[in-house]
Amino acid sequence: MITIEVAYATPKRQLILSVDVSAGTTMIEAVRASGILREFPEIDMASVKMGVWGKTEKDPATRIMQTGERIEVYRPLLIDPKEARKNRASKATTP
């Protein structure tokens, strides 16, 4: 068994769960085993993006977890980051 963490956050709530899983467990399997889907049923496992320590994983279904790693389940972006920067810049220049 190895110990990993699974993290998810909304604007109102953050949760980090410590989970013991078998060696050879993938990211997808670990997220399902963590119970985080019961806490946040809005997570869509078919399309959700995930990463380990801030680095996005391209294929969570095959990424094998190592002891001490933390899976971060990412929410979809509400606005494109480039668009958000443009909006902030236009507000800063408009008197």
Side-chain angles (χ1 to χ4, degrees):
M1 296 297 277
I2 62 170
T3 301
I4 56 117
E5 291 181 334
V6 178
Y8 185 74
T10 67
K12 296 183 179 187
R13 183 173 174 217
Q14 173 183 329
L15 185 61
I16 301 173
L17 300 171
S18 181
V19 185
D20 292 325
V21 295
S22 301
T25 298
T26 66
M27 287 179 77
I28 296 284
E29 294 166 337
V31 168
R32 287 195 172 111
S34 73
I36 206 152
L37 297 175
R38 283 188 302 275
E39 297 292 325
F40 299 97
E42 68 271 17
I43 297 173
D44 178 8
M45 290 299 290
S47 63
V48 71
K49 304 283 186 207
M50 296 181 215
V52 176
W53 293 116
K55 293 186 179 180
T56 303
E57 290 293 330
K58 291 181 181 177
D59 191 4
T62 61
R63 168 61 156 80
I64 303 298
M65 298 307 300
Q66 304 296 317
T67 191
E69 290 184 315
R70 182 177 70 201
I71 299 170
E72 296 162 346
V73 181
Y74 304 127
R75 289 181 294 124
L77 295 175
L78 299 177
I79 185 169
D80 177 55
K82 290 180 186 178
E83 191 65 34
R85 281 191 294 275
K86 275 195 328 191
N87 291 344
R88 285 193 304 270
S90 70
K91 287 179 186 175
T93 59
T94 304

